[in-house]
Amino acid sequence: MLRAALILAAGFVLAPLSIPSVSGIVSAQTQAPAGLPANKHTQLMEALRLHDIIEVVAAEGIAAGPEIEEDMFPGRGGFGWTVELERIYDIPRVMGIMSDDIRANVSEVDADVLISFLGSPLGKRIVEGEVAARAAMLDEDVDQAATDLAQKMRREGGRRVEQITEFIAAYDLVTSNVVGGLNSNYAFYQGLAAGGALPDSMTEDQIVNEVWSQQDTITTETEDWLYAYLLASYAGLSDDEMQTYIAFARTDAAQAFNAVLFDSFGTVFTSISRALGRAVADRMLAQDI
């Protein structure tokens, strides 16, 4: 239902959620260590270029607005709908949540490891590739070309496809992003219900079943997007450099940090999706009136 909410993460710049039961639809955060010192926090945020990625994610969400309008309240969006989307995808608010989560939940030891790698020449190229690819894929033609190329490469096989498969497995990105998509869609239904846009007869169990029915579609879309995005992101890396990144992804510091990021993105996307559902409900009811 929400294309922009399907892909929460890939690699460091965006990361995976723990798997909850659908009845919970929320992942629990791990016990927070002592707060990260301000200088280490600043260095880590700069190395991640998290603000750049959040800007792209917000742009993805706002770009999905016309499709949501066409599906849910055709011809009734207008300028006000764009303004509402910009309010929902508020970059300073999202940045504040994630910055606080990183400060509270990343240990200083792990931060040192992350800053060292991401601040290295290879690390900087990796982050630059991730940011550039995600921004470029805002263009539908670029997105489709990346998808077509990825499908061709997967059919033909080869070392780079094997490495991307290995990288996806290291972070369990398919499962994690599918869970994120299901969580987001559940929150969207919650927003619709809160706004009175669902039938009174629709029960909580029916909402959960409807969300689960989307699992296969979300899984397919997630796999296709991940291969397209990751192949584009790391196209400039040699096989040896890609293997170095995969090895780093398996370290304790990388795994722990990825979990923190995905918990944080999960919180953000659940909030955004619920707000989207409520905003859509308001416009659907206005249309009915």
Side-chain angles (χ1 to χ4, degrees):
M1 179 171 290
L2 298 175
R3 170 63 181 87
L6 291 181
I7 308 298
L8 298 184
F12 270 115
V13 184
L14 299 167
L17 276 172
S18 305
I19 303 176
S21 64
V22 171
S23 59
I25 313 285
V26 174
S27 63
Q29 288 194 344
T30 57
Q31 188 68 31
L36 195 60
N39 64 323
K40 297 293 177 66
H41 176 259
T42 299
Q43 291 175 46
L44 182 54
M45 296 295 285
E46 291 176 351
L48 288 168
R49 292 183 59 184
L50 191 59
H51 189 276
D52 293 335
I53 282 293
I54 289 173
E55 284 186 334
V56 177
V57 170
E60 289 171 349
I62 293 168
E67 182 179 351
I68 296 174
E69 176 184 343
E70 183 178 350
D71 290 343
M72 309 295 284
F73 49 94
R76 297 295 297 270
F79 178 73
W81 176 232
T82 300
V83 171
E84 181 71 7
L85 288 169
E86 291 174 347
R87 183 192 67 79
I88 291 171
Y89 286 95
D90 182 67
I91 293 172
R93 181 184 70 85
V94 173
M95 243 338 254
I97 292 171
M98 300 202 66
S99 177
D100 288 347
D101 284 346
I102 288 171
R103 180 183 291 109
N105 293 288
V106 176
S107 72
E108 188 171 356
V109 171
D110 286 350
D112 286 339
V113 175
L114 297 164
I115 292 167
S116 176
F117 182 82
L118 296 176
S120 69
L122 175 59
K124 289 179 180 178
R125 287 172 54 214
I126 287 169
V127 174
E128 172 60 30
E130 291 172 343
V131 173
R134 186 131 189 175
M137 289 173 70
L138 284 169
D139 184 301
E140 292 184 6
D141 291 338
V142 174
D143 185 282
Q144 187 60 57
T147 299
D148 292 344
L149 177 60
Q151 290 176 345
K152 178 176 182 292
M153 291 179 69
R154 291 173 72 186
R155 287 193 301 269
E156 295 174 352
R159 180 58 179 149
R160 182 47 54 96
V161 172
E162 292 174 355
Q163 288 181 313
I164 294 300
T165 301
E166 192 176 354
F167 182 79
I168 289 171
Y171 283 128
D172 198 17
L173 288 177
V174 173
T175 298
S176 301
N177 279 289
V178 169
V179 170
L182 293 172
N183 283 352
S184 293
N185 286 350
Y186 177 76
F188 184 80
Y189 277 104
Q190 285 183 315
L192 288 176
L198 293 182
D200 292 337
S201 59
M202 191 168 189
T203 66
E204 179 72 11
D205 285 345
Q206 288 174 320
I207 292 175
V208 170
N209 288 336
E210 175 62 24
V211 171
W212 272 122
S213 73
Q214 301 161 11
Q215 182 177 7
D216 289 346
T217 298
I218 291 175
T219 299
T220 298
E221 291 185 356
T222 297
E223 289 178 344
D224 289 345
W225 193 93
L226 280 171
Y227 276 94
Y229 169 64
L230 296 175
L231 283 165
S233 295
Y234 309 137
L237 302 183
S238 68
D239 287 349
D240 287 345
E241 289 171 331
M242 188 69 216
Q243 206 59 45
T244 297
Y245 191 30
I246 292 169
F248 182 68
R250 293 197 176 103
T251 64
D252 290 343
Q255 291 288 315
F257 184 63
N258 218 38
V260 169
L261 273 186
F262 230 116
D263 271 350
S264 190
F265 268 106
T267 298
V268 166
F269 271 88
T270 296
S271 172
I272 286 173
S273 296
R274 189 176 292 111
L276 276 173
R278 183 57 189 261
V280 167
D282 290 344
R283 283 155 180 78
M284 291 174 65
L285 293 180
Q287 177 178 326
D288 291 341
I289 293 171

